[in-house]
Amino acid sequence: MTSAARPSILTVDDDPSVSRAVARDLRRQYGEDYRIVRAESGPQALEALREIKLRGEEVAALLADYRMPQMSGIEFLEEAMDLFPAAKRVLLTAYADTDAAIQAINVVDLDHYLLKPWDPPQEKLYPVLDDLLLAWQQSDRQPVQQVRVIGHRWSARSYEVRDFLARNNVPFRWYELDDGECEAKRLLGAAGHDGADLPVVVTAEGEALVQPTDAELAAKVGLSTTPACDFYDLIVIGGGPAGLGAAVYGGSEGLRTVLVERLATGGQAGTSSRIENYLGFPEGVSGGQLTERARRQAQKFHVEMLTARHVVSLEPRGSARVVRFDDGSELSAHTVILATGVSYRTLDAPGLGDLTGRGVYYGASTTEGPNCEGQDVYLVGGANSAGQAAMYFARHARKVFLVVRGDSLVHTMSRYLIDQIAAQPKIEVLTCTEVAEGAGEDHLETLTLRHNKSGETTTVPASWLFAFIGAAPRTDWLAGTLLCDERGFVLAGPDLVPEGGRPAGWELDRPPYHLETSVPGVFVAGDVRADSVKRVASAVGEGAMAVTLVHRYLEKS
């Protein structure tokens, strides 16, 4: 094999002398066929892996020391799995840490652990790696064939298609017709289309889809859209942190569980570039990584996951709880957990409505980050989601302007984010400021900003506006079925009636459980619940708690 095509073996150990010794032993035995990469900390090793990933190269094996100060070997291997899931994983450990190494076999699918020191390597290191590398070579590592999307840069539907694929972890390549991309024209010609109706999606099998709906797209790119059976123990509606938490716990505790998501798992949290206050991730974790791990965890427990399915009604039917989809089909279960989350409110300013998806976006989209290279980006909102987005776009944009209606971020954003924003020279916070108007032909071109105390307005050139304001519950479809508060958030447990009473129409001889809605057997978790704490950790916790109450309901039914 040529040196340019050599896969890598990466080793990481915080002790420089040990790190050099490991790399030396590996280079002696495997240097002709593999590129040996050495790192002295977990973050340094992850950065090296990202560079390898960007170059389109492979990693055959990862050897990580268990005890490292910034990031343990287990934590490193867990994050490395997201980049190179096929790489063989080896933990280097002292005798005293063998129990931790054995536990890591389940945590990170560890392939082997080696006790230090392993002298002579001919007896204790090379035979182990020989077997692992042979298994890696014989595994199916062919790259996933990519979906190809051809569209216009400032087309709202083109953006929605790219966002849908990205959030569902479907590999795709984007061809922008506006740039005169020759390959885009060739693809359209091969598909027999003149480009009048875009976007066109070409599947990995070569089938051309013209302006596909999300449901059509999901079915063609391998996402599950059809349930395997008609009746379940538990239907979870919504795939954000609360829904994923409920699905994992429902599946792990033996309930026949199906999760239904209208767009993509992860919810608003799934679009976050970095969450740094979630328990167990001291180095932080992106919303996408957290979502993907939770999704894999749910699937491990045999949870069915349906994507691009839009639930339009819920009704009790005897002992069953029935949900109806927008295509008229139905799905039934003993119990339901509502975890539909919230959506960002739209900006009520002239000119912005027609530009949605064409420079005006609600929530962050990681697909747009590279497109903002060297340009100014405006973000509206003062909560954590806006702060995390500001830090993400600062990697790409020339300048990020955070537009905040209040006079500071102190009461709406976590302290760690406020400090990070203050230390980032590319971010400027515009307090007491609102977006008064947007304008543009094919896409957003200018914004008018108004100082809400002085009334002074300023018009600035702008092609990118991302809004993170308010939280609108997605509960219109529940009208007449469940009791909600005046803002549309679902009432549950003690919030339904004062002092442990029972809601109107409640027929059971007990009051509702803590997360139970006004319909017995229907529970609510996460942001859509009235007076919930809008944090990822609390949403996951409520999802798990709801499953416990589901068990209690089933036992007494």
Side-chain angles (χ1 to χ4, degrees):
M1 87 184 48
T2 65
S3 116
R6 286 184 303 168
S8 295
I9 297 174
L10 182 141
T11 174
V12 53
D13 195 305
D14 67 301
D15 186 325
S17 62
V18 174
S19 178
R20 287 192 295 268
V22 177
R24 181 194 63 230
D25 287 344
L26 293 175
R27 198 170 286 113
R28 284 175 179 172
Q29 182 73 2
Y30 305 107
E32 289 188 11
D33 295 327
Y34 296 89
R35 179 169 167 258
I36 308 303
V37 180
R38 181 172 72 88
E40 295 182 1
S41 71
Q44 186 185 69
L46 287 174
E47 184 61 32
L49 289 179
R50 293 186 187 103
E51 291 179 5
I52 295 171
K53 188 77 172 179
L54 288 174
R55 292 197 301 264
E57 298 174 1
E58 294 184 291
V59 173
L62 303 163
L63 287 78
D65 183 46
Y66 171 63
R67 289 185 179 271
M68 294 188 290
Q70 288 180 276
M71 177 186 289
S72 75
I74 294 175
E75 292 169 335
F76 162 72
L77 291 173
E78 191 172 14
E79 292 210 30
M81 287 172 64
D82 294 329
L83 293 168
F84 291 98
K88 297 301 179 182
R89 293 174 283 277
V90 179
L91 197 66
L92 309 179
T93 179
Y95 180 79
D97 298 322
T98 52
D99 287 344
I102 292 170
Q103 293 173 5
I105 292 174
N106 293 324
V107 176
V108 293
D109 294 331
L110 196 67
D111 293 293
H112 205 89
Y113 69 89
L114 290 171
L115 292 176
K116 299 189 295 185
W118 51 76
D119 287 335
Q122 291 81 0
E123 294 181 10
K124 298 182 178 180
L125 175 63
Y126 298 154
V128 170
L129 275 183
D130 286 345
D131 289 342
L132 293 178
L133 292 173
L134 178 61
W136 179 81
Q137 291 167 2
Q138 294 175 341
S139 63
D140 181 10
R141 308 184 316 280
Q142 294 300 315
V144 178
Q145 288 184 295
Q146 286 188 333
V147 171
R148 288 160 290 180
V149 182
I150 307 103
H152 292 300
R153 175 68 197 87
W154 298 112
S155 157
R157 184 55 189 159
S158 293
Y159 160 74
E160 291 168 355
V161 166
R162 288 183 291 127
D163 189 54
F164 177 85
L165 293 173
R167 293 185 61 186
N168 281 289
N169 289 320
V170 177
F172 73 95
R173 182 167 178 179
W174 163 244
Y175 295 90
E176 187 174 330
L177 199 61
D178 305 308
D179 278 351
E181 171 68 65
C182 294
E183 184 62 21
K185 294 177 181 177
R186 282 194 290 268
L187 284 170
L188 287 175
H193 292 278
D194 58 7
D197 300 316
L198 294 178
V200 170
V201 177
V202 181
T203 68
E205 292 75 27
E207 182 180 359
L209 310 175
V210 181
Q211 296 182 333
T213 64
D214 287 350
E216 292 169 342
L217 195 55
K220 293 295 185 179
V221 299
L223 300 174
S224 179
T225 59
T226 305
C229 53
D230 297 327
F231 199 92
Y232 294 82
D233 293 320
L234 170 64
I235 298 172
V236 179
I237 305 176
L244 287 168
V248 167
Y249 278 87
S252 67
E253 295 180 12
L255 297 176
R256 289 174 299 167
T257 303
V258 58
L259 183 147
V260 181
E261 169 56 45
R262 67 183 184 87
L263 181 61
T265 52
Q268 287 185 8
T271 66
S272 173
S273 60
R274 196 151 197 85
I275 302 169
E276 296 192 53
N277 58 353
Y278 188 68
L279 186 67
F281 291 89
E283 303 299 324
V285 62
S286 75
Q289 287 177 320
L290 192 63
T291 296
E292 179 57 21
R293 292 177 185 183
R295 180 162 45 198
R296 290 202 307 256
Q297 199 171 11
Q299 290 172 334
K300 170 185 173 182
F301 294 121
H302 310 293
V303 173
E304 284 186 48
M305 309 188 84
L306 307 182
T307 306
R309 297 305 304 268
H310 190 192
V311 178
V312 296
S313 70
L314 164 69
E315 65 174 291
R317 198 176 294 169
S319 62
R321 302 294 175 259
V322 182
V323 300
R324 181 177 292 109
F325 298 111
D326 57 352
D327 63 359
S329 61
E330 295 182 343
L331 196 59
S332 302
H334 291 300
T335 58
V336 171
I337 294 178
L338 297 171
T340 50
V342 295
S343 59
Y344 292 115
R345 297 186 187 277
T346 57
L347 289 165
D348 186 20
L352 296 183
D354 293 337
L355 296 172
T356 301
R358 298 187 291 129
V360 177
Y361 306 94
Y362 292 92
S365 173
T366 54
T367 60
E368 298 305 301
N371 295 323
C372 302
E373 194 72 38
Q375 302 178 54
D376 291 344
V377 172
Y378 287 80
L379 307 177
V380 181
N384 279 10
S385 54
Q388 290 159 352
M391 293 300 297
Y392 167 72
F393 282 109
R395 302 179 202 166
H396 303 279
R398 177 176 58 194
K399 189 84 173 178
V400 176
F401 296 93
L402 188 57
V403 180
V404 183
R405 186 169 54 184
D407 55 11
S408 79
L409 298 171
V410 171
H411 300 298
T412 57
M413 189 178 291
S414 294
R415 186 75 242 177
Y416 81 92
L417 272 173
I418 295 175
D419 293 341
Q420 287 181 0
I421 288 170
Q424 171 52 262
K426 283 189 175 183
I427 300 176
E428 181 177 343
V429 181
L430 306 177
T431 57
C432 302
T433 304
E434 301 175 10
V435 175
E437 187 177 357
E441 293 295 329
D442 294 333
H443 62 91
L444 178 67
E445 296 174 8
T446 63
L447 285 174
T448 299
L449 305 177
R450 179 176 56 239
H451 193 278
N452 56 28
K453 290 188 176 179
S454 68
E456 181 181 351
T457 61
T458 305
T459 299
V460 295
S463 296
W464 305 95
L465 175 67
F466 297 86
F468 305 82
I469 58 168
R474 299 170 179 149
T475 55
D476 291 347
W477 58 281
L478 292 170
T481 303
L482 301 182
L483 293 179
C484 299
D485 67 11
E486 65 279 2
R487 296 180 299 163
F489 290 91
V490 178
L491 296 168
D495 293 329
L496 283 167
V497 284
E499 299 180 1
R502 298 169 192 170
W506 186 267
E507 298 178 355
L508 302 183
D509 58 359
R510 60 164 178 83
Y513 295 132
H514 182 64
L515 298 177
E516 195 169 20
T517 69
S518 55
V519 173
V522 177
F523 300 82
V524 62
D527 291 359
V528 73
R529 183 178 66 84
D531 296 325
S532 64
V533 177
K534 305 300 188 285
R535 287 290 185 268
V536 175
S538 61
V540 173
E542 286 194 5
M545 185 192 304
V547 172
T548 299
L549 299 174
V550 163
H551 277 292
R552 189 180 301 175
Y553 171 83
L554 292 174
E555 289 168 359
K556 296 183 179 295
S557 296

